[in-house]
Amino acid sequence: MIRVLFRSDPLEKLAIPDGTTVEEHDLVTDGDVLVGGQSTVEFGVRGRNVIAGERVRFGGHIEAEGDCRLDMWCDVADNVLVGEDAYLGERVHVGGQLKVAGDIDIGDDVDIEEGFEANGWIVIRNPMPTIVFLFVYLGQLLRIGEQEAAEDTLSELLDGDHEEEPVVIPRGATVGDDAWRVSTPARIGDDCRIHGNVRAESVTVGRDNVLFGSLRGKDDVVVGRGSEIKGNVTTRNGDLAIGPGVKIWGDVAAENVRLHENATVDGTIRAGGEIELHTEDVLDGPDEDAEAMAEMAAEMEAESAPVAEDDGPVEGSAVDELDEEKPGDESGDDDPAEASDDSAATELSEPAADGPDGDHPDPTT
């Protein structure tokens, strides 16, 4: 589900979808990247569509497979490469080149230091009032409870045919090599690789992630199956739930700690309340990897299952015809001469068995 950012929804949580990689110089995802106003992203961004609110600062380049929309006063330190259309608001600054495969809408006083190229139309105007109106409209839909209508509208804007969830960075956040700092809940998807500490109101880490940093939340912290945290995991007022196969290279501190029996903590565990060992999955969402492995195991079991014993060849089958052709088989058709000789021998030998010592019986008795 995609929620509204920017002015209309300043409390949106940090959401990092499945398969996202956050390295030293790039944030890479197959989905969209949505950045709330007045945020800082200290490295480059690569995604399908990249949308940023007002006064967002990017410390690297932007690569958008689809559209790129930058609100007024945005600052990009390097190049902006766009696979479809670009929309730049007033006083946007681009430290490198702007290359667009489609159309460009440019607002007033846009500064592009190394020039721009476009294969489509170039319109010099201010497209941002339309964008602002769109998000105000979406915000009003959410306030009156029309969540489904808001989702449909935003899905059309972001080409909703794709299944990947967007990277969502809330308003006023700071994302950098040192830390990801937000004053809202944070959620990290599955199979992600992230450099930097995470600081949020609460933190939920999905399955099979690698985080080169620490986790700290004011409220509850959850670490899903198979994730590896190379740092401390702490919460000020909440509980900590650690799933199966988790490896934490640091200390753990929370009000209550639920530790899976197959998890490992290479440090000190401190709890103001209880420390509980459990055998359950700590995440409520479906485990797609486990479901795929179960389906594969079922298919392999079905393929390797023994064939049920047959009651015999079906009458008229090829096996039956081969059996009939075997020599000496009672059910087969032997040579007619041999069959007649056998019959004659049988008829001659049968009377001898009725008399004593093999003599023929006396007809008078």
Side-chain angles (χ1 to χ4, degrees), residues 85-144:
D85 300 332
Y87 306 84
L88 276 62
E90 293 181 354
R91 296 177 176 80
V92 168
H93 172 260
V94 178
Q97 287 185 321
L98 172 65
K99 295 184 177 181
V100 183
D103 302 335
I104 300 179
D105 280 358
I106 299 180
D108 297 335
D109 297 327
V110 171
D111 181 16
I112 304 173
E113 292 189 6
E114 299 183 14
F116 64 89
E117 300 177 5
N119 293 330
W121 293 95
I122 300 176
V123 180
I124 300 177
R125 59 184 178 85
N126 185 6
M128 286 305 118
T130 303
I131 304 301
V132 172
F133 172 78
L134 172 63
F135 284 105
V136 169
Y137 171 68
L138 292 173
Q140 292 297 328
L141 288 177
L142 291 175
R143 288 188 182 94
I144 64 177

Short mmCIF file of all heavy atoms in Angstrom, two decimals, residues 85-144:
data_model
loop_
_atom_site.label_atom_id
_atom_site.label_comp_id
_atom_site.label_asym_id
_atom_site.label_seq_id
_atom_site.Cartn_x
_atom_site.Cartn_y
_atom_site.Cartn_z
N ASP A 85 9.77 10.86 -18.11
CA ASP A 85 9.57 12.31 -18.02
C ASP A 85 10.14 12.86 -16.72
O ASP A 85 10.19 12.16 -15.70
CB ASP A 85 8.09 12.66 -18.11
CG ASP A 85 7.46 12.19 -19.41
OD1 ASP A 85 8.20 12.10 -20.41
OD2 ASP A 85 6.25 11.90 -19.42
N ALA A 86 10.55 14.15 -16.75
CA ALA A 86 11.08 14.82 -15.57
C ALA A 86 10.25 16.07 -15.28
O ALA A 86 9.84 16.79 -16.20
CB ALA A 86 12.54 15.19 -15.77
N TYR A 87 10.02 16.32 -13.98
CA TYR A 87 9.26 17.48 -13.52
C TYR A 87 10.06 18.16 -12.42
O TYR A 87 10.25 17.58 -11.35
CB TYR A 87 7.89 17.06 -13.00
CG TYR A 87 7.09 16.23 -13.97
CD1 TYR A 87 7.28 14.86 -14.05
CD2 TYR A 87 6.15 16.82 -14.81
CE1 TYR A 87 6.55 14.09 -14.94
CE2 TYR A 87 5.41 16.06 -15.70
CZ TYR A 87 5.62 14.70 -15.77
OH TYR A 87 4.91 13.94 -16.66
N LEU A 88 10.54 19.38 -12.68
CA LEU A 88 11.38 20.10 -11.73
C LEU A 88 10.68 21.39 -11.33
O LEU A 88 10.29 22.20 -12.20
CB LEU A 88 12.75 20.44 -12.33
CG LEU A 88 13.83 19.34 -12.28
CD1 LEU A 88 13.42 18.12 -13.07
CD2 LEU A 88 15.15 19.88 -12.81
N GLY A 89 10.54 21.60 -10.02
CA GLY A 89 9.87 22.79 -9.52
C GLY A 89 10.79 23.99 -9.46
O GLY A 89 11.94 23.97 -9.91
N GLU A 90 10.29 25.06 -8.88
CA GLU A 90 11.04 26.31 -8.80
C GLU A 90 12.31 26.15 -7.98
O GLU A 90 12.34 25.50 -6.95
CB GLU A 90 10.17 27.39 -8.16
CG GLU A 90 8.97 27.80 -9.01
CD GLU A 90 8.16 28.89 -8.34
OE1 GLU A 90 8.47 29.22 -7.16
OE2 GLU A 90 7.23 29.41 -8.96
N ARG A 91 13.37 26.76 -8.52
CA ARG A 91 14.65 26.89 -7.81
C ARG A 91 15.28 25.54 -7.45
O ARG A 91 16.00 25.43 -6.46
CB ARG A 91 14.49 27.76 -6.56
CG ARG A 91 14.11 29.20 -6.89
CD ARG A 91 13.89 30.03 -5.64
NE ARG A 91 13.61 31.41 -5.98
CZ ARG A 91 12.43 31.88 -6.38
NH1 ARG A 91 11.40 31.04 -6.47
NH2 ARG A 91 12.26 33.14 -6.69
N VAL A 92 14.99 24.54 -8.25
CA VAL A 92 15.69 23.26 -8.09
C VAL A 92 17.12 23.41 -8.62
O VAL A 92 17.36 24.06 -9.65
CB VAL A 92 14.95 22.14 -8.86
CG1 VAL A 92 15.81 20.88 -8.94
CG2 VAL A 92 13.64 21.82 -8.18
N HIS A 93 18.06 22.80 -7.91
CA HIS A 93 19.47 22.86 -8.31
C HIS A 93 19.96 21.44 -8.61
O HIS A 93 19.77 20.52 -7.81
CB HIS A 93 20.33 23.48 -7.21
CG HIS A 93 21.79 23.39 -7.48
ND1 HIS A 93 22.61 22.43 -6.90
CD2 HIS A 93 22.60 24.11 -8.29
CE1 HIS A 93 23.84 22.57 -7.32
NE2 HIS A 93 23.87 23.59 -8.17
N VAL A 94 20.61 21.28 -9.78
CA VAL A 94 21.22 20.01 -10.18
C VAL A 94 22.70 20.27 -10.39
O VAL A 94 23.08 21.07 -11.27
CB VAL A 94 20.56 19.46 -11.46
CG1 VAL A 94 21.26 18.16 -11.89
CG2 VAL A 94 19.08 19.21 -11.25
N GLY A 95 23.55 19.59 -9.61
CA GLY A 95 24.98 19.84 -9.68
C GLY A 95 25.65 19.25 -10.90
O GLY A 95 26.78 19.64 -11.23
N GLY A 96 25.01 18.33 -11.59
CA GLY A 96 25.59 17.73 -12.78
C GLY A 96 24.72 17.97 -14.00
O GLY A 96 24.18 19.05 -14.20
N GLN A 97 24.54 16.93 -14.81
CA GLN A 97 23.71 17.01 -16.00
C GLN A 97 22.30 16.49 -15.72
O GLN A 97 22.09 15.68 -14.82
CB GLN A 97 24.32 16.19 -17.14
CG GLN A 97 25.55 16.79 -17.79
CD GLN A 97 26.01 15.96 -18.97
OE1 GLN A 97 25.98 14.74 -18.95
NE2 GLN A 97 26.46 16.64 -20.03
N LEU A 98 21.36 16.96 -16.54
CA LEU A 98 20.00 16.42 -16.53
C LEU A 98 19.76 15.78 -17.89
O LEU A 98 19.77 16.47 -18.92
CB LEU A 98 18.98 17.53 -16.27
CG LEU A 98 17.50 17.13 -16.43
CD1 LEU A 98 17.11 16.10 -15.39
CD2 LEU A 98 16.60 18.36 -16.34
N LYS A 99 19.59 14.45 -17.91
CA LYS A 99 19.32 13.73 -19.15
C LYS A 99 17.98 13.02 -19.03
O LYS A 99 17.78 12.23 -18.10
CB LYS A 99 20.43 12.70 -19.43
CG LYS A 99 21.79 13.34 -19.70
CD LYS A 99 22.83 12.29 -20.07
CE LYS A 99 24.16 12.94 -20.40
NZ LYS A 99 25.19 11.93 -20.80
N VAL A 100 17.09 13.32 -19.97
CA VAL A 100 15.72 12.81 -19.91
C VAL A 100 15.37 12.18 -21.25
O VAL A 100 15.56 12.79 -22.31
CB VAL A 100 14.73 13.96 -19.58
CG1 VAL A 100 13.32 13.40 -19.46
CG2 VAL A 100 15.14 14.66 -18.30
N ALA A 101 14.84 10.95 -21.19
CA ALA A 101 14.44 10.28 -22.43
C ALA A 101 13.11 10.78 -22.95
O ALA A 101 12.81 10.63 -24.13
CB ALA A 101 14.37 8.77 -22.19
N GLY A 102 12.29 11.38 -22.09
CA GLY A 102 10.98 11.87 -22.49
C GLY A 102 10.90 13.38 -22.45
O GLY A 102 11.78 14.09 -22.93
N ASP A 103 9.82 13.90 -21.83
CA ASP A 103 9.57 15.34 -21.76
C ASP A 103 10.12 15.92 -20.46
O ASP A 103 10.30 15.21 -19.47
CB ASP A 103 8.07 15.62 -21.83
CG ASP A 103 7.43 15.07 -23.10
OD1 ASP A 103 8.16 14.91 -24.10
OD2 ASP A 103 6.22 14.77 -23.08
N ILE A 104 10.37 17.25 -20.48
CA ILE A 104 10.83 17.96 -19.30
C ILE A 104 9.88 19.12 -19.02
O ILE A 104 9.59 19.92 -19.91
CB ILE A 104 12.26 18.53 -19.48
CG1 ILE A 104 13.27 17.42 -19.77
CG2 ILE A 104 12.69 19.28 -18.22
CD1 ILE A 104 14.67 17.94 -19.98
N ASP A 105 9.41 19.22 -17.79
CA ASP A 105 8.70 20.39 -17.29
C ASP A 105 9.59 21.07 -16.26
O ASP A 105 9.95 20.44 -15.25
CB ASP A 105 7.36 20.00 -16.64
CG ASP A 105 6.29 19.74 -17.68
OD1 ASP A 105 6.59 19.90 -18.87
OD2 ASP A 105 5.17 19.38 -17.29
N ILE A 106 9.96 22.31 -16.51
CA ILE A 106 10.91 23.01 -15.64
C ILE A 106 10.26 24.27 -15.10
O ILE A 106 9.68 25.07 -15.86
CB ILE A 106 12.20 23.37 -16.41
CG1 ILE A 106 12.89 22.10 -16.90
CG2 ILE A 106 13.16 24.14 -15.51
CD1 ILE A 106 14.17 22.36 -17.67
N GLY A 107 10.37 24.47 -13.79
CA GLY A 107 9.85 25.68 -13.17
C GLY A 107 10.80 26.85 -13.28
O GLY A 107 11.84 26.79 -13.96
N ASP A 108 10.49 27.92 -12.59
CA ASP A 108 11.30 29.14 -12.64
C ASP A 108 12.61 28.97 -11.86
O ASP A 108 12.66 28.28 -10.83
CB ASP A 108 10.51 30.31 -12.04
CG ASP A 108 9.26 30.62 -12.84
OD1 ASP A 108 9.26 30.29 -14.05
OD2 ASP A 108 8.31 31.17 -12.25
N ASP A 109 13.66 29.61 -12.37
CA ASP A 109 14.96 29.70 -11.69
C ASP A 109 15.56 28.33 -11.37
O ASP A 109 16.19 28.13 -10.33
CB ASP A 109 14.82 30.50 -10.38
CG ASP A 109 14.40 31.93 -10.63
OD1 ASP A 109 14.79 32.48 -11.68
OD2 ASP A 109 13.67 32.49 -9.79
N VAL A 110 15.38 27.38 -12.26
CA VAL A 110 16.01 26.07 -12.10
C VAL A 110 17.46 26.17 -12.57
O VAL A 110 17.75 26.72 -13.64
CB VAL A 110 15.27 24.98 -12.90
CG1 VAL A 110 16.06 23.68 -12.90
CG2 VAL A 110 13.89 24.77 -12.30
N ASP A 111 18.38 25.64 -11.77
CA ASP A 111 19.81 25.72 -12.06
C ASP A 111 20.36 24.33 -12.35
O ASP A 111 20.39 23.48 -11.45
CB ASP A 111 20.54 26.35 -10.87
CG ASP A 111 22.05 26.49 -11.11
OD1 ASP A 111 22.47 26.40 -12.29
OD2 ASP A 111 22.79 26.67 -10.13
N ILE A 112 20.77 24.11 -13.60
CA ILE A 112 21.38 22.83 -14.01
C ILE A 112 22.79 23.16 -14.46
O ILE A 112 23.00 23.74 -15.54
CB ILE A 112 20.58 22.16 -15.14
CG1 ILE A 112 19.13 21.97 -14.70
CG2 ILE A 112 21.21 20.82 -15.51
CD1 ILE A 112 18.22 21.47 -15.80
N GLU A 113 23.80 22.82 -13.67
CA GLU A 113 25.16 23.32 -13.87
C GLU A 113 25.78 22.83 -15.17
O GLU A 113 26.51 23.58 -15.83
CB GLU A 113 26.04 22.91 -12.68
CG GLU A 113 25.66 23.59 -11.37
CD GLU A 113 26.67 23.34 -10.27
OE1 GLU A 113 27.72 22.72 -10.56
OE2 GLU A 113 26.42 23.76 -9.12
N GLU A 114 25.55 21.58 -15.57
CA GLU A 114 26.21 21.03 -16.75
C GLU A 114 25.26 20.82 -17.92
O GLU A 114 25.52 20.02 -18.81
CB GLU A 114 26.92 19.72 -16.38
CG GLU A 114 28.00 19.89 -15.31
CD GLU A 114 28.74 18.60 -15.01
OE1 GLU A 114 28.60 17.65 -15.80
OE2 GLU A 114 29.46 18.56 -13.99
N GLY A 115 24.14 21.52 -17.92
CA GLY A 115 23.23 21.46 -19.04
C GLY A 115 22.29 20.27 -19.00
O GLY A 115 22.37 19.40 -18.12
N PHE A 116 21.37 20.21 -19.98
CA PHE A 116 20.38 19.13 -19.99
C PHE A 116 20.12 18.67 -21.42
O PHE A 116 20.35 19.42 -22.39
CB PHE A 116 19.08 19.57 -19.31
CG PHE A 116 18.36 20.71 -20.01
CD1 PHE A 116 17.43 20.45 -21.01
CD2 PHE A 116 18.61 22.01 -19.66
CE1 PHE A 116 16.78 21.48 -21.65
CE2 PHE A 116 17.96 23.06 -20.28
CZ PHE A 116 17.03 22.79 -21.29
N GLU A 117 19.64 17.43 -21.54
CA GLU A 117 19.26 16.84 -22.81
C GLU A 117 17.89 16.19 -22.64
O GLU A 117 17.59 15.63 -21.59
CB GLU A 117 20.27 15.77 -23.25
CG GLU A 117 21.69 16.29 -23.44
CD GLU A 117 22.66 15.17 -23.80
OE1 GLU A 117 22.17 14.02 -24.00
OE2 GLU A 117 23.87 15.44 -23.88
N ALA A 118 17.09 16.28 -23.71
CA ALA A 118 15.76 15.66 -23.67
C ALA A 118 15.40 15.22 -25.08
O ALA A 118 15.71 15.92 -26.06
CB ALA A 118 14.72 16.63 -23.13
N ASN A 119 14.73 14.07 -25.18
CA ASN A 119 14.27 13.57 -26.47
C ASN A 119 12.85 14.01 -26.79
O ASN A 119 12.38 13.85 -27.91
CB ASN A 119 14.34 12.04 -26.51
CG ASN A 119 15.77 11.54 -26.47
OD1 ASN A 119 16.68 12.22 -26.94
ND2 ASN A 119 15.98 10.37 -25.91
N GLY A 120 12.14 14.55 -25.79
CA GLY A 120 10.75 14.96 -26.00
C GLY A 120 10.59 16.46 -25.91
O GLY A 120 11.50 17.24 -26.20
N TRP A 121 9.41 16.89 -25.45
CA TRP A 121 9.10 18.30 -25.32
C TRP A 121 9.79 18.90 -24.11
O TRP A 121 9.96 18.25 -23.08
CB TRP A 121 7.59 18.51 -25.19
CG TRP A 121 6.82 18.15 -26.42
CD1 TRP A 121 6.20 16.98 -26.70
CD2 TRP A 121 6.58 19.01 -27.54
NE1 TRP A 121 5.60 17.02 -27.92
CE2 TRP A 121 5.82 18.27 -28.47
CE3 TRP A 121 6.94 20.32 -27.86
CZ2 TRP A 121 5.41 18.79 -29.69
CZ3 TRP A 121 6.54 20.85 -29.06
CH2 TRP A 121 5.78 20.09 -29.97
N ILE A 122 10.18 20.18 -24.24
CA ILE A 122 10.76 20.93 -23.14
C ILE A 122 9.82 22.09 -22.84
O ILE A 122 9.64 22.99 -23.67
CB ILE A 122 12.17 21.44 -23.48
CG1 ILE A 122 13.10 20.27 -23.78
CG2 ILE A 122 12.72 22.27 -22.31
CD1 ILE A 122 14.49 20.70 -24.22
N VAL A 123 9.22 22.07 -21.65
CA VAL A 123 8.27 23.10 -21.26
C VAL A 123 8.83 23.84 -20.06
O VAL A 123 9.06 23.23 -19.01
CB VAL A 123 6.89 22.50 -20.92
CG1 VAL A 123 5.92 23.60 -20.52
CG2 VAL A 123 6.35 21.70 -22.10
N ILE A 124 9.07 25.14 -20.21
CA ILE A 124 9.60 25.93 -19.10
C ILE A 124 8.42 26.62 -18.43
O ILE A 124 7.84 27.57 -18.95
CB ILE A 124 10.62 26.96 -19.60
CG1 ILE A 124 11.79 26.25 -20.28
CG2 ILE A 124 11.13 27.82 -18.44
CD1 ILE A 124 12.82 27.18 -20.88
N ARG A 125 8.03 26.10 -17.32
CA ARG A 125 6.91 26.64 -16.54
C ARG A 125 7.03 26.06 -15.13
O ARG A 125 8.05 25.46 -14.80
CB ARG A 125 5.56 26.28 -17.16
CG ARG A 125 5.32 24.78 -17.29
CD ARG A 125 4.00 24.50 -18.01
NE ARG A 125 3.75 23.08 -18.21
CZ ARG A 125 3.20 22.30 -17.30
NH1 ARG A 125 2.85 22.79 -16.13
NH2 ARG A 125 2.99 21.02 -17.55
N ASN A 126 6.00 26.19 -14.33
CA ASN A 126 6.04 25.65 -12.98
C ASN A 126 4.98 24.57 -12.85
O ASN A 126 3.80 24.88 -12.70
CB ASN A 126 5.79 26.75 -11.96
CG ASN A 126 5.94 26.23 -10.53
OD1 ASN A 126 6.33 25.08 -10.33
ND2 ASN A 126 5.63 27.05 -9.57
N PRO A 127 5.36 23.28 -12.94
CA PRO A 127 4.36 22.21 -12.87
C PRO A 127 3.96 21.85 -11.44
O PRO A 127 3.06 21.07 -11.23
CB PRO A 127 5.09 21.03 -13.52
CG PRO A 127 6.52 21.25 -13.16
CD PRO A 127 6.71 22.75 -13.15
N MET A 128 4.63 22.41 -10.44
CA MET A 128 4.42 21.95 -9.08
C MET A 128 3.04 22.26 -8.51
O MET A 128 2.55 21.49 -7.69
CB MET A 128 5.50 22.51 -8.16
CG MET A 128 6.84 21.82 -8.33
SD MET A 128 6.73 20.04 -8.12
CE MET A 128 7.25 19.50 -9.74
N PRO A 129 2.37 23.34 -8.85
CA PRO A 129 1.03 23.53 -8.29
C PRO A 129 0.10 22.36 -8.57
O PRO A 129 -0.73 22.02 -7.74
CB PRO A 129 0.55 24.82 -8.98
CG PRO A 129 1.79 25.58 -9.24
CD PRO A 129 2.83 24.54 -9.58
N THR A 130 0.26 21.72 -9.73
CA THR A 130 -0.55 20.54 -10.03
C THR A 130 -0.22 19.40 -9.06
O THR A 130 -1.10 18.70 -8.56
CB THR A 130 -0.30 20.08 -11.47
OG1 THR A 130 -0.61 21.16 -12.35
CG2 THR A 130 -1.17 18.89 -11.82
N ILE A 131 1.06 19.23 -8.79
CA ILE A 131 1.48 18.17 -7.87
C ILE A 131 0.98 18.46 -6.46
O ILE A 131 0.49 17.59 -5.75
CB ILE A 131 3.02 18.02 -7.89
CG1 ILE A 131 3.50 17.76 -9.31
CG2 ILE A 131 3.45 16.91 -6.96
CD1 ILE A 131 2.91 16.53 -9.95
N VAL A 132 1.13 19.72 -6.05
CA VAL A 132 0.65 20.09 -4.71
C VAL A 132 -0.85 19.85 -4.60
O VAL A 132 -1.35 19.32 -3.60
CB VAL A 132 1.00 21.56 -4.42
CG1 VAL A 132 0.34 22.01 -3.12
CG2 VAL A 132 2.52 21.74 -4.32
N PHE A 133 -1.58 20.24 -5.65
CA PHE A 133 -3.02 20.02 -5.64
C PHE A 133 -3.34 18.53 -5.52
O PHE A 133 -4.27 18.13 -4.79
CB PHE A 133 -3.65 20.59 -6.91
CG PHE A 133 -5.11 20.24 -7.08
CD1 PHE A 133 -6.09 20.91 -6.38
CD2 PHE A 133 -5.48 19.20 -7.92
CE1 PHE A 133 -7.43 20.57 -6.52
CE2 PHE A 133 -6.81 18.85 -8.07
CZ PHE A 133 -7.79 19.55 -7.36
N LEU A 134 -2.58 17.70 -6.22
CA LEU A 134 -2.82 16.25 -6.18
C LEU A 134 -2.69 15.73 -4.76
O LEU A 134 -3.54 14.99 -4.27
CB LEU A 134 -1.85 15.53 -7.10
CG LEU A 134 -1.86 14.00 -7.02
CD1 LEU A 134 -3.21 13.45 -7.46
CD2 LEU A 134 -0.74 13.41 -7.86
N PHE A 135 -1.62 16.14 -4.05
CA PHE A 135 -1.41 15.62 -2.71
C PHE A 135 -2.39 16.22 -1.70
O PHE A 135 -2.76 15.56 -0.73
CB PHE A 135 0.04 15.85 -2.28
CG PHE A 135 1.00 14.92 -2.93
CD1 PHE A 135 1.82 15.34 -3.95
CD2 PHE A 135 1.07 13.59 -2.54
CE1 PHE A 135 2.70 14.47 -4.56
CE2 PHE A 135 1.94 12.72 -3.15
CZ PHE A 135 2.76 13.15 -4.16
N VAL A 136 -2.80 17.45 -1.92
CA VAL A 136 -3.85 18.00 -1.07
C VAL A 136 -5.14 17.23 -1.25
O VAL A 136 -5.86 16.91 -0.29
CB VAL A 136 -4.05 19.50 -1.37
CG1 VAL A 136 -5.30 20.03 -0.69
CG2 VAL A 136 -2.83 20.29 -0.93
N TYR A 137 -5.43 16.89 -2.51
CA TYR A 137 -6.63 16.10 -2.81
C TYR A 137 -6.56 14.72 -2.15
O TYR A 137 -7.52 14.25 -1.52
CB TYR A 137 -6.78 15.97 -4.32
CG TYR A 137 -7.85 15.01 -4.76
CD1 TYR A 137 -9.20 15.28 -4.56
CD2 TYR A 137 -7.51 13.81 -5.40
CE1 TYR A 137 -10.17 14.39 -4.97
CE2 TYR A 137 -8.47 12.93 -5.82
CZ TYR A 137 -9.81 13.22 -5.60
OH TYR A 137 -10.77 12.33 -6.01
N LEU A 138 -5.40 14.08 -2.24
CA LEU A 138 -5.23 12.77 -1.60
C LEU A 138 -5.35 12.87 -0.09
O LEU A 138 -5.93 12.00 0.57
CB LEU A 138 -3.87 12.18 -1.98
CG LEU A 138 -3.69 11.77 -3.45
CD1 LEU A 138 -2.25 11.36 -3.71
CD2 LEU A 138 -4.63 10.64 -3.81
N GLY A 139 -4.79 13.95 0.47
CA GLY A 139 -4.91 14.14 1.91
C GLY A 139 -6.34 14.29 2.37
O GLY A 139 -6.74 13.75 3.41
N GLN A 140 -7.14 15.01 1.59
CA GLN A 140 -8.55 15.16 1.95
C GLN A 140 -9.28 13.83 1.87
O GLN A 140 -10.15 13.52 2.70
CB GLN A 140 -9.21 16.20 1.02
CG GLN A 140 -8.71 17.61 1.23
CD GLN A 140 -9.02 18.14 2.62
OE1 GLN A 140 -10.03 17.80 3.22
NE2 GLN A 140 -8.13 18.98 3.14
N LEU A 141 -8.95 13.01 0.86
CA LEU A 141 -9.58 11.69 0.75
C LEU A 141 -9.27 10.84 1.98
O LEU A 141 -10.14 10.13 2.50
CB LEU A 141 -9.09 10.98 -0.52
CG LEU A 141 -9.61 11.52 -1.85
CD1 LEU A 141 -8.98 10.74 -3.00
CD2 LEU A 141 -11.13 11.40 -1.93
N LEU A 142 -8.04 10.90 2.46
CA LEU A 142 -7.67 10.11 3.63
C LEU A 142 -8.38 10.62 4.89
O LEU A 142 -8.77 9.83 5.75
CB LEU A 142 -6.16 10.15 3.83
CG LEU A 142 -5.31 9.41 2.78
CD1 LEU A 142 -3.84 9.63 3.04
CD2 LEU A 142 -5.64 7.93 2.78
N ARG A 143 -8.53 11.93 4.99
CA ARG A 143 -9.16 12.49 6.19
C ARG A 143 -10.64 12.09 6.29
O ARG A 143 -11.17 11.96 7.39
CB ARG A 143 -9.02 14.01 6.17
CG ARG A 143 -7.60 14.48 6.44
CD ARG A 143 -7.55 16.00 6.61
NE ARG A 143 -6.18 16.46 6.81
CZ ARG A 143 -5.40 16.89 5.83
NH1 ARG A 143 -5.86 16.93 4.60
NH2 ARG A 143 -4.17 17.29 6.09
N ILE A 144 -11.31 11.93 5.16
CA ILE A 144 -12.73 11.57 5.19
C ILE A 144 -12.93 10.06 5.10
O ILE A 144 -14.05 9.58 4.96
CB ILE A 144 -13.51 12.27 4.06
CG1 ILE A 144 -13.02 11.80 2.68
CG2 ILE A 144 -13.41 13.77 4.20
CD1 ILE A 144 -13.81 12.40 1.52
#
